[in-house]
Amino acid sequence: MIKVEEKGYFWNKTLSSFDEMYQIQNHALLNLYSIKRLSTGERSLFSSLAGALNFISKIRNKVVIDKQLIQAGKSYYLAMKVKFKRELLPVPLRPFSYFDSQWALSSQWILWPFQN
């Protein structure tokens, strides 16, 4: 989940938000990883897991906020949170994901300040 917030006195005002969901799949026979962007169905292939994770860690070709909503002199934040959906794992892997700490892949909100 990604959102742009305007800094306020008591709380921040959300100006824009969107979700970008990806599905990672391992093709063991081909020794490849595929990434599917669920919003568009676009697929990309990678020779390593590190390459696949690097691909989904960047925002590409996406307008996060309309320029007209940004005013000079005000402070804004880009906030991002990663959510791992255990329910989308194959059924045999789900029990492991609940009890093994290595499957705790969700994050807290991370904020980056920016100004116009």
Side-chain angles (χ1 to χ4, degrees):
M1 175 177 272
I2 299 170
K3 44 185 191 175
V4 176
E5 298 182 336
E6 179 181 341
K7 185 177 179 183
Y9 291 107
F10 297 109
W11 56 83
N12 295 339
K13 177 182 174 185
T14 301
L15 301 176
S16 169
S17 70
F18 63 92
D19 289 335
E20 194 67 59
M21 294 179 59
Y22 294 97
Q23 180 181 27
I24 300 175
Q25 188 174 11
N26 181 325
H27 303 280
L29 293 175
L30 300 173
N31 198 23
L32 293 173
Y33 293 87
S34 68
I35 300 289
K36 179 180 178 184
R37 181 179 286 181
L38 298 180
S39 60
T40 63
E42 171 190 340
R43 289 187 181 267
S44 302
L45 290 173
F46 299 90
S47 60
S48 69
L49 179 59
L53 294 174
N54 184 47
F55 176 79
I56 64 173
S57 69
K58 296 181 173 91
I59 301 171
R60 292 179 182 82
N61 302 325
K62 185 76 171 178
V63 176
V64 293
I65 189 164
D66 185 8
K67 289 180 185 179
Q68 296 174 350
L69 296 174
I70 303 295
Q71 298 175 10
K74 291 195 174 185
S75 297
Y76 298 93
Y77 293 100
L78 178 73
M80 183 180 290
K81 180 178 186 175
V82 175
K83 292 172 71 176
F84 176 68
K85 294 191 173 186
R86 291 179 166 104
E87 300 79 30
L88 297 179
L89 284 171
V91 175
L93 287 178
R94 287 184 202 162
F96 296 107
S97 73
Y98 287 106
F99 299 110
D100 189 345
S101 63
Q102 291 183 346
W103 287 92
L105 301 173
S106 296
S107 73
Q108 300 296 320
W109 284 104
I110 299 170
L111 301 174
W112 290 277
F114 69 93
Q115 292 181 338
N116 188 13

